[in-house]
């Protein structure tokens, strides 16, 4: 079978209310006449009518693209993405969350960038936010926790020293690169009923970067992340930054060679404790009333706890 240019992969869990508008945006893609591409939805153990919706959408999906879907019963975004890579027919795989809406040029921009940057193993989108309600004051400081990525209008490489990487929302990877570099059994699997940890997307991207592939930011690929009001509550935001902070030690260690990890771990821990102490002394009077400050403090606190929490999780496994 001749491979396609691109598979647009959509991991979804109980996405029946979110998928219709995303699928409509994919119907409206332009400048794709010379491209071969498909949409592949991965139902990650949904309990609503997601599968029925996909069945109906498939019946009327317009050529030349096609809509396919598969199921992944093991809960966790990491497992849904692994399933997507296994089922994809595209040389490139573009991941869209079911609450992200692509610009009409997104598919064409994704394919064109991959063709003109052959050393790019993965590249991320420019992700803007559509907030249902006004976010808390100073929200820009923590917007990246909700996969909001505004890093300018020029494409650039995520250099290792930047310690920044793109999120999975709007990420495009080369299928063969993923198959060669990504762990077969990821340690981070995404938030589920059994695990609070996220950053499962960064685990894969770190392995790709460690293998020598370039990781890029491509602002020509624009997305709009739909942020409902319940994701802007204090409780949800604290939970979100906590789940990221608790995974931080694992991601940090992936940046290091195995022999460096025991040597640099105490330095990283001491630095985290120092940052958290300084931040608390400066902002402790604001933490009860300032959601953004509370989230920043929670991320620093969770980063300190991270190595011990991960050690405990490893023992459970």
């Amino acid at each position: 079978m001749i491979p396609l240019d691109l598979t647009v992969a959509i991991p979804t869990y109980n996405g029946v209310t979110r998928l219709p508008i995303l699928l409509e945006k994919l119907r409206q893609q332009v400048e794709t006449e010379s491209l071969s591409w498909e949409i592949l939805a991965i139902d990650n153990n949904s309990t609503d009518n997601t599968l029925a919706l996909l069945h109906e959408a498939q019946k009327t999906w317009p050529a030349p693209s096609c809509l396919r879907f598969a199921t992944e019963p093991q809960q966790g975004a990491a497992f849904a993405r692994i399933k997507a890579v296994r089922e994809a027919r595209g040389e490139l795989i573009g991941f869209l969350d079911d609450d992200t809406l692509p610009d009409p040029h997104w598919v064409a921009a994704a394919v064109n960038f991959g063709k003109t940057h052959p050393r790019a193993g993965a590249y991320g989108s420019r992700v803007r936010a559509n907030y249902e309600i006004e976010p808390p004051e100073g929200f820009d400081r923590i917007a990246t926790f909700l996969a909001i990525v505004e890093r300018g209008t020029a494409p650039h490489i995520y250099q290792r020293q930047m310690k920044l990487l793109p999120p999975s929302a709007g990420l495009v990877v080369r299928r063969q690169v993923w198959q060669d570099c990504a762990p077969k059994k990821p340690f981070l699997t995404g938030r589920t009923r059994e695990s609070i940890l996220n950053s499962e997307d960064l685990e894969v991207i770190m392995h790709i970067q460690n293998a020598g592939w370039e990781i890029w930011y491509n602002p020509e690929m624009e997305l709009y992340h739909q942020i409902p009001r319940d994701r802007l509550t204090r409780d949800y935001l604290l939970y979100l930054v906590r789940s990221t902070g608790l995974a931080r030690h694992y991601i940090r260690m992936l940046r290091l060679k195995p022999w460096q990890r025991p040597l640099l771990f105490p330095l990283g821990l001491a630095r985290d404790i120092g940052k958290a102490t300084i931040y608390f002394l400066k902002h402790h009077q604001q933490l009860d009333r300032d959601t953004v400050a509370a989230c920043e403090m929670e991320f620093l606190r969770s980063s300190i706890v991270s190595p011990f929490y991960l050690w405990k999780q490893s023992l459970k496994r």
Side-chain angles (χ1 to χ4, degrees):
M1 180 182 296
I2 298 175
L4 305 177
D5 292 319
L6 175 71
T7 294
V8 178
I10 308 170
T12 182
Y13 171 71
N14 287 351
V16 71
T17 61
R18 299 182 297 275
L19 281 169
I21 186 171
L22 169 55
L23 294 177
E24 184 58 31
K25 291 294 183 182
L26 290 171
R27 286 177 185 264
Q28 297 171 3
Q29 294 295 296
V30 298
E31 300 179 2
T32 59
E33 295 80 8
S34 62
L35 307 180
S36 58
W37 65 292
E38 65 173 353
I39 297 95
L40 173 63
I42 304 296
D43 178 69
N44 193 199
N45 204 27
S46 295
T47 58
D48 64 1
N49 293 321
T50 292
L51 280 176
L53 182 148
L54 292 170
H55 270 289
E56 288 302 310
Q58 188 182 55
K59 293 177 183 178
T60 60
W61 196 261
S65 64
C66 70
L67 170 63
R68 297 192 295 125
F69 55 89
T71 59
E72 175 48 65
Q74 191 166 6
Q75 200 76 53
F79 300 117
R81 295 189 191 108
I82 290 170
K83 179 73 169 184
V85 173
R86 191 179 303 129
E87 297 288 333
R89 298 170 182 167
E91 293 183 338
L92 299 169
I93 304 174
F95 289 101
L96 294 179
D97 291 350
D98 61 14
D99 58 358
T100 54
L101 305 181
D103 177 86
H105 298 271
W106 190 85
V107 165
V111 175
N112 291 338
F113 193 88
K115 289 180 177 179
T116 56
H117 295 77
R119 287 302 304 163
Y123 43 100
S125 298
R126 184 181 192 181
V127 186
R128 300 180 177 183
N130 283 339
Y131 298 113
E132 183 179 6
I133 62 172
E134 189 70 20
E137 184 178 353
F139 189 74
D140 287 351
R141 305 201 316 258
I142 61 170
T144 54
F145 288 102
L146 283 171
I148 308 304
V149 183
E150 288 272 14
R151 291 174 179 150
T153 58
H156 60 259
I157 295 179
Y158 285 93
Q159 302 289 355
R160 293 185 65 86
Q161 61 269 25
M162 294 169 62
K163 297 183 179 179
L164 291 173
L165 289 170
S168 59
L171 182 75
V172 179
V173 299
R174 296 187 189 277
R175 178 162 52 93
Q176 191 60 54
V177 169
W178 178 298
Q179 292 172 335
D180 292 343
C181 302
K184 306 305 179 188
K185 293 184 177 180
F187 181 80
L188 302 175
T189 60
R191 296 188 303 276
T192 66
R193 297 182 186 89
E194 290 75 35
S195 175
I196 189 177
L197 297 173
N198 66 6
S199 299
E200 77 289 340
D201 47 357
L202 299 185
E203 179 179 7
V204 173
I205 300 170
M206 280 298 312
H207 281 285
I208 292 173
Q209 189 177 56
N210 288 345
W213 289 92
E214 296 171 353
I215 311 297
W216 281 78
Y217 165 72
N218 178 21
E220 296 297 317
M221 294 163 17
E222 288 194 77
L223 291 181
Y224 294 86
H225 193 182
Q226 311 305 294
I227 311 295
R229 63 177 63 233
D230 59 352
R231 292 193 181 183
L232 294 171
T233 64
R234 181 184 176 94
D235 286 347
Y236 178 81
L237 291 171
L238 285 171
Y239 168 77
L240 180 64
V241 300
R242 185 179 305 121
S243 64
T244 304
L246 289 174
R248 192 178 184 207
H249 173 72
Y250 185 79
I251 296 299
R252 177 184 282 168
M253 290 299 103
L254 285 180
R255 298 183 185 278
L256 304 174
K257 298 182 184 299
W259 66 267
Q260 294 176 314
R261 294 168 187 171
L263 300 175
L264 297 182
F265 161 62
L267 296 177
L269 180 61
R271 187 163 52 245
D272 287 342
I273 293 172
K275 287 180 180 179
T277 301
I278 292 170
Y279 193 92
F280 179 79
L281 292 174
K282 185 176 180 180
H283 298 282
H284 67 278
Q285 294 182 335
Q286 305 167 239
L287 298 180
D288 288 339
R289 64 180 186 274
D290 186 331
T291 295
V292 171
C295 287
E296 290 177 324
M297 185 69 242
E298 179 58 33
F299 179 69
L300 293 170
R301 187 196 70 81
S302 299
S303 297
I304 295 170
V305 175
S306 175
F308 310 104
Y309 179 85
L310 293 170
W311 175 71
K312 184 178 178 181
Q313 293 298 111
S314 297
L315 289 180
K316 288 181 179 180
R317 295 188 180 192

